[in-house]
């Protein structure tokens, strides 16, 4: 399994060094900041929505490789998805990164399953889920500051 693990790490390094959808939208439907004080990860999401479909996601900020790669992978995976689809993906993703490898979830999540390994490192789970909690708060209109603590 070492080869597979290295491949996963390469994808995470690639997304952390060359994040997809980095930046911000001019006229977003939603804007939300998220913060993970345990690690110091910070990000701002801007999201455009049309007819309950998330059309575009951009993120800015700084953080560890896991938090940046997770935001990058999330932005790729969720663009073009409906709120209902996003709720289902978020639920699967959260279960995978908190409970660890699960073949059914990994098949459903595809590329996002690369982050399953963080389940072994509880502090890293917060890095991996920061962007997701921030997106969820943004689209559900939660006005509280998003913090993983
Ligand atoms: Zn982090």
């Amino acid at each position: 399994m070492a080869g597979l693990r290295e491949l996963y790490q390469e994808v995470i390094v690639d997304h952390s060094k060359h994040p997809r959808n980095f930046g911000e939208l001019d006229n977003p439907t939603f804007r939300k900041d998220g913060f993970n004080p345990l690690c110091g990860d910070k990000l701002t999401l801007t999201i455009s929505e049309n007819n309950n479909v998330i059309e575009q996601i951009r993120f800015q900020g700084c953080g560890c490789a896991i938090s940046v790669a997770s935001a990058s992978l999330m932005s790729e995976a969720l663009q073009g998805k409906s709120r209902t689809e996003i709720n289902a993906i978020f639920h699967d993703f959260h279960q995978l990164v908190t409970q660890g490898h699960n073949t059914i979830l990994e098949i459903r999540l595809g590329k996002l399953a690369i982050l399953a390994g963080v389940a072994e490192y509880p502090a890293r789970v917060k890095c991996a889920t920061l962007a997701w909690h921030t997106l969820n708060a943004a689209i559900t209109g939660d006005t509280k500051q998003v913090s993983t603590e």
Side-chain angles (χ1 to χ4, degrees):
M1 290 300 281
L4 193 58
R5 188 167 277 214
E6 278 163 29
L7 175 69
Y8 286 180
Q9 279 172 356
E10 269 175 39
V11 175
I12 289 169
V13 169
D14 175 44
H15 275 265
S16 67
K17 286 191 174 159
H18 309 286
R20 319 303 196 265
N21 302 306
F22 196 81
E24 67 182 302
L25 297 170
D26 287 336
N27 293 299
T29 317
F30 308 106
R31 168 186 289 276
K32 193 79 188 170
D33 297 326
F35 180 44
N36 173 19
L38 197 68
C39 179
D41 309 315
K42 278 182 192 173
L43 57 82
T44 300
L45 289 180
T46 50
I47 301 160
S48 67
E49 185 191 52
N50 190 17
N51 288 327
N52 279 327
V53 171
I54 300 304
E55 293 191 320
Q56 288 186 293
I57 301 169
R58 295 285 181 278
F59 78 100
Q60 271 188 333
C62 56
C64 67
I66 296 285
S67 70
V68 174
S70 180
S72 175
L73 286 159
M74 179 193 81
S75 69
E76 274 193 339
L78 300 188
Q79 287 185 140
K81 296 279 194 279
S82 70
R83 280 175 177 249
T84 310
E85 289 170 316
I86 287 174
N87 278 338
I89 297 167
F90 181 41
H91 185 265
D92 283 351
F93 181 78
H94 198 264
Q95 191 180 338
L96 185 69
V97 297
T98 51
Q99 294 173 19
H101 290 291
N102 173 319
T103 307
I104 293 166
L105 291 179
E106 285 169 42
I107 290 167
R108 282 214 295 260
L109 287 165
K111 205 172 177 184
L112 292 168
I114 283 165
L115 290 157
V118 302
E120 294 169 40
Y121 311 96
R124 297 267 119 176
V125 171
K126 294 181 177 187
C127 304
T129 55
L130 174 64
W132 293 77
H133 285 301
T134 307
L135 179 127
N136 198 44
I139 65 178
T140 57
D142 187 343
T143 52
K144 287 196 298 286
Q145 196 200 353
V146 178
S147 171
T148 53
E149 287 302 292

